[in-house]
Amino acid sequence: MKKLFLILFISMANFLFAGNDPYIKITVAKDGSGDFTSIQNAINSIRDLGPAEALVFIKSGIYNEKVIIPSSKHKITLEGENKGNTIISNNDFSGKPDAFNEKMTTFNSYTLLVMGDDIKISNLTIQNSSCNEGQAVSLHVEGDRFVIKNSNILGCQDTIYSATNHSRQYFENCYIEGTTDFIFGQATVVFKNCTIKSLADSYITAAATEAGRPYGFVFFDCKLIAKENITKVYLGRPWRPCAKTVFINTEMGKHILPEGWNPWKGDKMFPDKEKTAYYAESGSKGEGGDISKRVSWSHQVTKKDLKNYTLEKIFDGWNPNMSNK
C-alpha cells in the first residue's frame, strides 16, 4: 500500500510540475543579495533533465563570465532585470591562447553556449567585447526550441552562431550588431522585429543550411541599420552551398548594396554556391530595399509562396510563442 501511495504521489508531483509555472526560481546578484553571485553556478545548481521550467532571474550588473548551458540541462529561462544593465560579457576570440595554451577557434570563442533544449532568454545583453582580433562569438546555440526576446547580442565578427541542423531558434525584439558574417550557421532561425546593425562594410549573414531543408534564416519585419560611414554591406553570402536566407517586410538602410547578395567566390571546396543557394526577399523597403539591381540568382517570394512562411511551417509544428514542452 505504501508503495502504491508513493507511485501516486510521484505521478501527481510530475503532473503539477508539468504546468506553466517554474518549479524552481533562482536569483543571481553580484552584490550577494541573491542565491548565487555567478550565472554559471546558478545553472550548475539546477537538476539535470529537471521536471519543468527553472527560472534564473539575474539582477543588474556586468557578469564577466563564459557561460555554458550543457545538454543535460533543459527548460531553463534566463531573465535579466534590465536588458541594458544586465550584461554577460567575455572577450575570447579565435587564435587566443586558452588555459592550456592551445589556440581557441571560432567554435569555442563564445560568451554564452546553449546546448540544452527548451532554453529561453529575455531582458539580457550578451556580449563578446573582442573586436578585430579574430572571430569572436557572443551567442552560440545548439539546442532545439531556443527562444530569445527583448535582448541585445553584441559583437564584431561572428556575433551569433546558430549551430546544428536540428536546432530551431527564435529571436524577437532583439538588437544585434557585428561586422562580418555576424549571423551564421546551419540552424533554422526566425528573426522577428529585430534591429540589426552593421559595424563594417561586409556581410550580415552566412547561412550553412543543410541540403534538403526547406528553411534557413528568415527575417520578418526587421530593420537593417549601420554605423556611420558604413556604405557597402551585403545581405548575405553562402557559407555552404545550400544556404537559405529570406527577408520579409524588412526595412533596409542605404548601406545595403544594390546587388544585395554575394556568391562567396574563392571557396575551392564549393566554387559555385550561387547555383544552389536560395536567397530571397519580399516587401523590402527603405533605401537599400530597391530590388531592381539584385543579383540574377536571387529570388522574390511570390504572394502564393508567402503562405509557407509561418512560424508553424518554418519550425515544423513548433510555435515559440507557446509554452515550452
Side-chain angles (χ1 to χ4, degrees), residues 117-135:
D117 294 338
D118 299 307
I119 305 301
K120 294 188 288 186
I121 294 174
S122 63
N123 301 325
L124 276 178
T125 291
I126 305 162
Q127 177 185 42
N128 192 320
S129 60
S130 172
C131 200
N132 299 322
E133 296 177 286
Q135 294 93 338

Side-chain angles (χ1 to χ4, degrees), residues 12 78 95 147 161 183 206 219 244 255:
M12 181 61 71
L78 302 183
V147 176
Y161 181 26
I183 299 172
F219 296 81
K244 289 183 172 67
H255 62 294

Side-chain angles (χ1 to χ4, degrees), residues 80-135:
E81 183 175 15
N82 177 292
K83 73 175 179 180
N85 298 320
T86 312
I87 302 167
I88 308 172
S89 184
N90 196 54
N91 63 351
D92 287 343
F93 58 90
S94 178
K96 179 180 178 180
D98 63 15
F100 301 98
N101 208 31
E102 298 287 337
K103 288 186 177 180
M104 292 185 180
T105 69
T106 305
F107 309 106
N108 60 10
S109 67
Y110 54 79
T111 295
L112 172 60
L113 170 62
V114 177
M115 300 178 72
D117 294 338
D118 299 307
I119 305 301
K120 294 188 288 186
I121 294 174
S122 63
N123 301 325
L124 276 178
T125 291
I126 305 162
Q127 177 185 42
N128 192 320
S129 60
S130 172
C131 200
N132 299 322
E133 296 177 286
Q135 294 93 338

Side-chain angles (χ1 to χ4, degrees), residues 27 61 157 255 267:
T27 299
Q157 185 171 356
H255 62 294
D267 186 337

Side-chain angles (χ1 to χ4, degrees), residues 32 34 40 58 72 94 98 198 225 242 245 249 256 290-291 310 319:
Q40 188 65 65
I58 306 168
S72 60
S94 178
D98 63 15
S198 292
I225 63 174
C242 296
T245 302
N249 297 328
I256 299 300
D290 182 356
I291 63 171
T310 65
N319 187 334

